[in-house]
């Protein structure tokens, strides 16, 4: 596809052809294994995948979660629980949507109703006020951020910046990435962030329900998260699962892991605006599972 050899009207696809499998094992055999997927493809495209090759594209895994929790899903702050997609407990930070659905169901249905109840049973309710200095500090920061966003009065909408960021991440920090591409992405995101804070255009006011203002706040966060994702991908000189660094692959094109140097969870610490984050490592120790290299063959 990067060479311009992609198929379909978009040029962003390759063929997945089941002709040999169907010829060898029959269409009924394929239907028993993949029938629901073939039906979905036929409904979406109007084409019969049993008779003509499917057009596929390796889509980007999306980023979610990461907050540390204990066995009861409680964070390091007593009484503050992180459940579902925002914690790291089952899938880590980069995964597919179907897995995230499982985590939301498991946490919400099986875990949190029992663990949070135990905490509440041991905690007497207390009156809550807004007098604490931390509240006043947070309130002032939010008001200042909203005022800054509303005052830019540029020419580009939050959606425009969101799409531009998505394109950078798709091209250079997707399923396959290279050191050169990641460095390019970092420069492009930094450039886009400067444009965001000087050329953002918002309609409405901050004294009403303003979805454009809400979107702008999220995009501002996405710009920070996007650069962090790029930094983390660049720092990890290996291929692992859906994170495929093209420089690190086996002769057969499989992901080449480096368990000796990268068997850890990376927790990046924010230390200030325009300052490089600090990498904290939590080593992964496997006692009952032997690490093996993934192979799709």
């Amino acid at each position: 596809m990067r060479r311009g050899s992609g198929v379909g009207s978009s040029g962003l696809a390759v063929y997945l052809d089941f002709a040999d499998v169907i010829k060898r094992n029959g269409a009924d055999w394929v239907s028993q294994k993949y029938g629901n997927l073939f039906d979905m493809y036929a409904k979406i495209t109007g084409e019969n995948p049993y008779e003509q090759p499917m057009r596929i594209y390796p889509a980007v895994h999306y980023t979610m979660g990461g907050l540390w929790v204990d066995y009861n899903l409680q964070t390091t702050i007593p009484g503050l629980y992180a459940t579902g997609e925002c914690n790291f407990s089952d899938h880590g930070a980069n995964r597919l949507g179907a897995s995230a659905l499982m985590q939301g169901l498991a946490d919400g249905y099986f875990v949190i109703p029992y663990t949070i109840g135990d905490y509440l049973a041991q905690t007497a309710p207390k009156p809550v006020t807004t007098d604490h200095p931390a509240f006043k500090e947070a309130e002032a920061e939010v008001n200042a951020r909203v005022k800054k966003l509303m005052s830019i009065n540029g020419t580009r909408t939050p959606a425009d910046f969101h799409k531009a960021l998505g394109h950078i991440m798709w091209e250079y920090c997707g399923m396959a990435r290279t050191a050169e591409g990641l460095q390019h992405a970092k420069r492009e995101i930094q450039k886009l962030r400067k444009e965001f804070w000087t050329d953002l255009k918002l309609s409405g006011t901050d004294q009403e329900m303003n979805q454009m203002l809400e979107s702008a706040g999220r995009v501002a966060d996405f710009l920070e998260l996007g650069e962090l994702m790029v930094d983390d991908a660049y720092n990890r000189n290996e291929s692992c699962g859906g994170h495929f660094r093209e420089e690190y692959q086996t002769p057969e094109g499989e992901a080449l892991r480096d368990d000796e140097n990268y068997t850890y969870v990376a927790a990046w610490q924010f230390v200030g605006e325009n300052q490089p984050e600090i990498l904290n490592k939590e080593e992964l120790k496997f006692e009952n599972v032997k690490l093996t290299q993934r192979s799709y063959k």
Side-chain angles (χ1 to χ4, degrees):
M1 287 178 284
R2 290 177 178 172
R3 292 193 303 265
S5 302
V7 301
S9 59
S10 68
L12 297 176
V14 297
Y15 283 128
L16 176 62
D17 191 354
F18 272 75
D20 289 343
V21 179
I22 292 174
K23 183 178 180 180
R24 182 174 64 248
N25 298 325
D28 289 341
W29 184 90
V30 174
S31 178
Q32 290 179 7
K33 293 177 69 69
Y34 308 114
N36 62 325
L37 299 176
F38 277 47
D39 290 344
M40 289 169 57
Y41 182 87
K43 289 180 180 179
I44 293 171
T45 65
E47 300 172 357
N48 187 341
Y50 295 97
E51 298 177 355
Q52 61 190 101
M54 288 184 280
R55 287 171 280 111
I56 63 171
Y57 185 84
V60 181
H61 286 54
Y62 63 95
T63 296
M64 326 167 44
L67 291 178
W68 184 91
V69 290
D70 63 14
Y71 191 72
N72 293 325
L73 303 184
Q74 186 173 224
T75 67
T76 55
I77 302 175
L80 179 60
Y81 288 76
T83 68
E85 299 174 351
C86 65
N87 70 45
F88 84 108
S89 62
D90 293 315
H91 296 293
N94 189 285
R95 58 189 184 272
L96 294 174
S99 301
L101 176 62
M102 189 288 292
Q103 184 162 349
L105 292 172
D107 287 1
Y109 189 82
F110 295 105
V111 184
I112 200 64
Y114 301 94
T115 60
I116 197 172
D118 181 64
Y119 174 83
L120 293 173
Q122 302 176 55
T123 306
K126 299 178 182 179
V128 178
T129 72
T130 59
D131 297 332
H132 196 285
F135 177 88
K136 297 184 182 301
E137 180 181 352
E139 183 182 32
E141 289 179 356
V142 170
N143 286 332
R145 183 182 177 90
V146 168
K147 183 178 180 180
K148 183 176 181 180
L149 288 168
M150 294 298 302
S151 66
I152 296 173
N153 198 28
T155 63
R156 300 174 64 183
T157 65
D160 188 27
F161 285 103
H162 194 180
K163 290 178 182 177
L165 175 63
H167 180 74
I168 295 171
M169 300 302 291
W170 177 280
E171 290 291 333
Y172 303 106
C173 193
M175 291 285 283
R177 63 282 294 265
T178 66
E180 181 181 3
L182 289 166
Q183 289 298 86
H184 175 77
K186 183 179 178 69
R187 293 190 297 269
E188 289 298 302
I189 293 173
Q190 291 175 338
K191 176 183 175 182
L192 187 65
R193 182 166 56 244
K194 290 180 180 179
E195 294 174 359
F196 175 87
W197 289 107
T198 57
D199 198 24
L200 177 69
K201 175 67 175 179
L202 298 179
S203 60
T205 72
D206 59 353
Q207 300 301 312
E208 59 186 351
M209 180 65 181
N210 190 332
Q211 291 185 322
M212 184 173 279
L213 173 59
E214 178 185 353
S215 176
R218 292 181 181 274
V219 173
D221 290 340
F222 293 161
L223 287 164
E224 301 296 333
L225 176 61
E227 185 174 351
L228 179 60
M229 285 179 63
V230 168
D231 287 341
D232 184 67
Y234 181 76
N235 182 72
R236 192 170 284 268
N237 295 314
E238 64 162 358
S239 292
C240 185
H243 308 259
F244 192 83
R245 281 284 295 273
E246 294 183 13
E247 304 95 325
Y248 304 98
Q249 55 182 297
T250 68
E252 294 183 325
E254 299 285 349
L256 182 62
R257 280 213 318 252
D258 183 353
D259 294 332
E260 181 177 349
N261 295 306
Y262 295 101
T263 310
Y264 63 81
V265 174
W268 294 89
Q269 180 180 348
F270 178 77
V271 292
E273 295 287 345
N274 300 315
Q275 298 294 323
E277 299 87 354
I278 297 176
L279 173 59
N280 297 284
K281 300 178 181 179
E282 182 176 332
E283 300 296 329
L284 296 173
K285 298 180 181 179
F286 298 87
E287 298 176 354
N288 301 310
V289 177
K290 183 178 185 297
L291 295 180
T292 57
Q293 186 129 313
R294 172 183 281 188
S295 173
Y296 287 99
K297 293 187 178 299

